Amino acid sequence: MSIKNLIMNEEGATALEYGLLAALIAAAIVGAVTTLGNVVSSTFSSIASSMSAATAN
């Protein structure tokens, strides 16, 4: 295999691109789950406090 063939070989670049794409997707999923988790947590806290207030009366 000549130097020119090694330089023109794009197989490694393709694997690297897939790796970067997977990392970007994983970061987006983590961000979405974190945000959604905070929203769900505050919703359940609101429901719990409403139920506590209703049972206290």
Side-chain angles (χ1 to χ4, degrees):
M1 189 177 256
S2 70
I3 301 293
K4 184 178 180 181
N5 287 340
L6 286 174
I7 292 173
M8 299 302 286
N9 187 356
E10 294 183 0
E11 288 181 25
T14 302
L16 180 63
E17 290 167 357
Y18 282 129
L20 290 172
L21 185 60
L24 179 63
I25 291 170
I29 289 172
V30 167
V33 168
T34 301
T35 302
L36 184 62
N38 290 338
V39 170
V40 169
S41 177
S42 65
T43 301
F44 277 119
S45 295
S46 174
I47 292 169
S49 65
S50 297
M51 290 177 70
S52 294
T55 57
N57 292 333

